[in-house]
Amino acid sequence: MKTTPLHSRHIAAGAVMAPFAGYDMPISYRGIEEEHRAVRSATGMFDVSHMGEVHITGPQAQAYVNHIFSGDVAPLAPGQVVYGMMLNERGGVVDDLLVYKRSAEDFFLVINASNIDKDVAWMQAHTDGFQAMVDDCSERWAELAIQGPGAEDVMLDVLGIDCRDMTFYTFRDIILPSGASAIVSRTGYTGEDGFELYAPADDIAAAWDTLASAGVEPCGLGCRDTLRFEAGLPLYGDELTDDITPLEAGLGMFAKTAAKPSFIGRDALVAQKEAGVPRKVVGLEIDGPAIARHGYAVLDMDGNAVGEVTTGYRSITMGRSLAMALVPAGLAAEGTRLQVQVRRKVFPATVVKKRFYTPKYKK
């Protein structure tokens, strides 16, 4: 099993560890609820060094990225970040990712840990006709996320990195005191303001130690998932898969079918839009304390299985049982009454907006 550069620190801190995407990763330290609340109210830090990074360079790097990516990187100014997906020919999602634009010839892509090998192979298989080089640099980067309403102050006061003038989904290249090159972006996966710092392993370790000494809460993947869930952010393998399109996931705004005449998967999305999206990912509020987990059946009011839960929790912030689920489009309207089967019992549920918590980004 792989480990991140911070693995020994997680063990020393007594973190609960578990396998994730081939890595031994911290799930929690003090507890998921305590860490979740720390991010919502103050600041937490996450080791996300398991994520993948790919460097795209060359005279036609921009044309190549636009070919494999659902978003449009051409209008971006250097220093901007955009979220989107890589799609297969059926419109299903190969992966969702962030694209960082340094210039029309230089892009930095951040992909999901569980998909690194698959994504890189897929990218390399689609370079024909483009003067662009795909460099899997995942092993050369480590990543630390600092998230929460106090993140901006922590970046300046603790790490000495002034991010006050950075707006949401922007980044800059910086030089750390060690002389190492690094990237800092105002991005995150929690629904709160925050930053992600990409740097070599030794520098990430030094940053972690400095933050820990200042009392910043270490957070595991457990609360990373509860936080992103409340904010309605998708997780690959749950709300997005090779068989779920951006339109079905409610993420059509990140597939620029009108702005771009061509990209892999575009024709399938256009056809699906014209025919009518057959199913949608929705939010569910469940009556009572039952917790609906991934894969649990969603039923109509006659007891017929019509869909399944993609993610479900007892919301820590809202104190309600909530879920995201993939259901037929005809049952996706807010207020629709459905049922969720939790083990041997069936609980009523209501379709609601899947953004359960209003994100607090600095825009």
Side-chain angles (χ1 to χ4, degrees):
M1 192 179 302
K2 295 181 180 180
T3 60
T4 75
L6 300 175
H7 186 262
S8 63
R9 288 159 172 81
H10 305 320
I11 299 299
V16 176
M17 306 293 290
F20 181 82
Y23 285 80
D24 191 29
M25 295 295 293
I27 302 305
S28 66
Y29 300 82
R30 286 201 302 145
I32 291 175
E33 182 170 340
E34 291 85 350
E35 294 160 26
H36 179 110
R37 294 191 186 282
V39 175
R40 286 279 182 255
S41 63
T43 311
M45 60 178 179
F46 299 80
D47 177 13
V48 282
S49 301
H50 61 312
M51 297 292 284
E53 293 85 21
V54 181
H55 197 193
I56 309 292
T57 56
Q60 293 182 302
Q62 180 163 280
Y64 167 72
V65 173
N66 257 354
H67 176 62
I68 64 167
F69 184 60
S70 67
D72 189 0
V73 298
L76 297 183
Q80 287 187 302
V81 186
V82 64
Y83 169 81
M85 304 99 194
M86 296 186 297
L87 308 178
N88 57 40
E89 296 289 354
R90 305 185 311 277
V93 178
V94 175
D95 202 2
D96 63 332
L97 65 155
L98 294 180
V99 174
Y100 290 58
K101 182 177 180 178
R102 286 197 179 101
S103 73
E105 298 183 357
D106 191 340
F107 292 83
F108 184 74
L109 279 54
V110 182
I111 57 180
N112 283 300
S114 58
N115 291 335
I116 294 174
D117 292 343
K118 179 188 76 169
D119 286 0
V120 172
W122 188 86
M123 291 180 200
Q124 291 173 336
H126 291 88
T127 57
D128 288 352
F130 295 94
Q131 290 180 293
M133 184 176 73
V134 176
D135 176 23
D136 177 10
C137 53
S138 303
E139 297 299 322
R140 303 199 296 273
W141 290 97
E143 183 186 351
L144 182 60
I146 299 94
Q147 301 284 298
E152 184 180 274
D153 291 337
V154 166
M155 292 293 289
L156 179 60
D157 298 340
V158 180
L159 295 181
I161 303 173
D162 190 350
C163 301
R164 290 173 296 181
D165 63 338
M166 294 182 68
T167 55
F168 191 48
Y169 268 53
T170 63
F171 77 98
R172 63 173 58 130
D173 293 302
I174 61 173
I175 302 298
L176 297 172
S178 66
S181 297
I183 299 168
V184 61
S185 61
R186 198 164 204 144
T187 52
Y189 194 49
T190 62
E192 299 296 335
D193 188 23
F195 302 87
E196 291 175 305
L197 178 66
Y198 304 84
D202 289 346
D203 294 282
I204 285 293
W208 180 276
D209 292 342
T210 301
L211 291 163
S213 296
V216 177
E217 184 87 28
C219 300
L221 296 186
C223 81
R224 192 167 185 255
D225 200 51
T226 59
L227 290 160
R228 72 90 191 166
F229 165 76
E230 288 183 348
L233 302 174
L235 175 66
Y236 191 87
D238 289 356
E239 288 74 40
L240 293 170
T241 71
D242 286 332
D243 296 318
I244 298 176
T245 73
L247 303 181
E248 293 170 329
L251 300 171
M253 69 184 73
F254 301 108
K256 304 302 183 181
T257 54
K260 291 170 57 178
S262 175
F263 60 87
I264 298 173
R266 180 186 181 276
D267 291 346
L269 295 188
V270 171
Q272 187 177 70
K273 188 179 293 187
E274 291 175 350
V277 179
R279 53 187 186 165
K280 294 183 179 180
V281 175
V282 300
L284 292 177
E285 182 168 350
I286 300 165
D287 297 356
I291 300 175
R293 300 298 189 190
H294 175 88
Y296 284 11
V298 177
L299 316 175
D300 64 18
M301 296 308 291
D302 294 324
N304 302 305
V306 294
E308 68 175 25
V309 171
T310 57
T311 307
Y313 284 108
R314 178 77 177 174
S315 167
I316 295 170
T317 304
M318 275 76 71
R320 307 196 306 269
S321 291
L322 302 169
M324 287 191 275
L326 187 62
V327 302
L331 297 174
E334 288 181 41
T336 301
R337 292 290 283 172
L338 295 169
Q339 303 179 92
V340 177
Q341 184 158 359
V342 180
R343 298 185 180 88
R344 297 183 180 179
K345 294 184 178 180
V346 174
F347 295 85
T350 304
V351 175
V352 296
K353 291 181 180 179
K354 67 176 185 292
R355 178 170 282 184
F356 309 113
Y357 174 83
T358 302
K360 299 175 181 177
Y361 305 127
K362 181 175 179 179
K363 297 188 177 181

